[in-house]
Amino acid sequence: MSEYLTYKEACEILHLKSYKGLYYLIKNGLPVIVIGNSKRINANDLKKFMEDHTVTTAPKD
């Protein structure tokens, strides 16, 4: 895996079928690196964001 992911690569890792879910994560704090017209997501930032937003729930009886 590359250190810097395209939006398409990030969606594939997260198993998202469209960019809508990725845009939601970005709106809620997922950092994006912008260089000129290119936008990338640091793979470590993606992993940390997902870990920080993981919620554990108890199974329903």
Side-chain angles (χ1 to χ4, degrees):
M1 172 172 43
S2 174
E3 183 177 350
Y4 298 100
L5 307 169
T6 64
Y7 279 18
K8 181 178 179 181
E9 292 168 332
C11 285
E12 289 172 359
I13 289 169
L14 296 171
H15 303 286
L16 299 173
K17 294 182 180 184
S18 73
Y19 292 120
K20 187 176 181 179
L22 184 61
Y23 293 141
Y24 176 82
L25 297 178
I26 292 167
K27 182 179 176 183
N28 285 285
L30 177 63
V32 174
I33 299 164
V34 179
I35 301 173
N37 293 330
S38 180
K39 295 180 182 177
R40 297 286 188 265
I41 297 171
N42 183 295
N44 292 327
D45 288 345
L46 178 61
K47 182 178 178 183
K48 182 172 180 348
F49 181 85
M50 295 307 289
E51 288 171 355
D52 291 348
H53 291 84
T54 299
V55 177
T56 304
T57 59
K60 295 181 180 182
D61 293 332

